[in-house]
Amino acid sequence: MDAIANTSNIMKKTPKNIFTEGPIAPAFISDSIAKHSSNTSIGGHSIFLGQVRADVIDDKQVIAIEYTAYNELALEKMHQIREAIFSKYPLTCMHIHHSLGRVAVGEICLFVFTSSAHRRAAIDACNEIVERIKNELPIWGKEILEDASHQWKVNQ
Amino acid sequence: MLIMENGKRIQVFFFGKLSEIAGAATTLSNLHNTDELIQHLHTQFPALANEKFAVAVNKQTIHTNTELPDNCTVALLPPFSGG
């Protein structure tokens, strides 16, 4: 329904949800791309997909990341970031999805999708959104290791 | 009988690694500002001493000692690791 953001969408008071329980399905991503074919003012899309990496920590391999968040605050912050990005770049639309709960290695945990008339805005906005999500959203990843022990993820 | 207790109720949330130390949430009273609150939590949960965290009062991150309003929510936020 809300495939294409418009100005009234940006002005909306209630922050949009970004959280999905579990991994983000590749089919959801391709559907999301397909929905944009009707907006012919778009000339470029930029997509970032975060995938859970099988890091090795003290000889033990990461098998999944379990995400938790301070939901209310995260959605408020995301709303502020969304508005700041929309006022900085001439975007046609912006979609953000982040996983909560368990996401296995190889699965997608973050999906950022920006579109604009010309590529530069979509690319730069997408990069900036990813950086700001990692730095500013109160979300935490617990890396589950193969022996069922865990360690708290640290962003680089 | 006159109850002299300060009715101030403070709900405290612990996130990420801190929830393993202190549980997900606790309710406290009789604390007036964030310095008092943090000191109280350090006494109650000594392992917090080894952890780095930011403090948010009613969803606003604070940088100096801050008065706690009635029925406020305080969150202890370890470094973020989303994405």
Side-chain angles (χ1 to χ4, degrees):
Chain A
M1 187 181 83
D2 60 354
I4 311 295
N6 55 35
T7 353
S8 69
N9 219 339
I10 308 163
M11 305 305 285
K12 229 165 40 181
K13 290 255 164 56
T14 37
K16 228 172 169 173
N17 184 36
I18 61 164
F19 292 118
T20 299
E21 195 59 36
I24 296 160
F28 175 82
I29 296 163
S30 63
D31 279 355
S32 188
I33 297 167
K35 279 180 187 162
H36 289 73
S37 60
S38 58
N39 188 336
T40 50
S41 66
I42 295 172
H45 300 294
S46 191
I47 290 176
F48 176 83
L49 299 174
Q51 173 168 307
V52 174
R53 189 176 49 238
D55 273 346
V56 175
I57 299 162
D58 299 331
D59 294 331
K60 287 175 273 182
Q61 198 199 291
V62 170
I63 58 164
I65 295 182
E66 223 171 85
Y67 290 99
T68 49
Y70 186 1
N71 290 37
E72 256 182 292
L73 181 57
L75 296 181
E76 268 186 36
K77 286 258 182 210
M78 192 63 242
H79 182 71
Q80 291 163 13
I81 295 170
R82 195 187 291 274
E83 293 202 323
I85 297 287
F86 263 120
S87 55
K88 184 169 172 186
Y89 300 97
L91 292 182
T92 313
C93 47
M94 177 197 308
H95 304 279
I96 291 137
H97 300 273
H98 195 296
S99 293
L100 285 184
R102 195 177 172 109
V103 183
V105 292
E107 293 183 318
I108 304 298
C109 56
L110 174 62
F111 171 32
V112 177
F113 185 8
T114 53
S115 312
S116 53
H118 302 280
R119 69 184 181 285
R120 202 74 258 167
I123 293 168
D124 292 348
C126 186
N127 287 341
E128 192 169 325
I129 294 163
V130 172
E131 292 308 310
R132 293 193 65 177
I133 285 173
K134 290 197 170 253
N135 291 325
E136 297 174 41
L137 294 196
I139 301 173
W140 297 274
K142 187 165 92 173
E143 294 170 318
I144 313 294
L145 305 173
E146 55 191 337
D147 65 348
S149 63
H150 69 264
Q151 114 159 358
W152 290 89
K153 183 178 173 239
V154 178
N155 275 355
Q156 300 184 345
Chain B
M1 196 193 282
L2 194 64
I3 296 167
M4 297 299 288
E5 190 189 2
N6 180 345
K8 207 170 259 195
R9 276 166 59 86
I10 306 146
Q11 195 158 31
V12 187
F13 292 116
F14 304 91
F15 288 97
K17 192 181 178 187
L18 305 183
S19 67
E20 295 182 334
I21 294 170
T26 184
T27 305
L28 299 171
S29 55
N30 293 324
L31 297 162
H32 302 94
N33 54 52
T34 49
D35 279 0
E36 276 183 28
L37 175 82
I38 301 303
Q39 202 177 357
H40 177 91
L41 291 174
H42 276 302
T43 313
Q44 198 177 348
F45 307 106
L48 282 180
N50 307 318
E51 302 302 328
K52 211 178 106 184
F53 56 86
V55 177
V57 177
N58 289 338
K59 291 187 277 170
Q60 296 292 321
T61 306
I62 56 143
H63 303 284
T64 55
N65 188 21
T66 300
E67 200 70 24
L68 294 171
D70 283 348
N71 298 314
C72 67
T73 298
V74 178
L76 270 58
L77 313 170
F80 306 151
S81 55

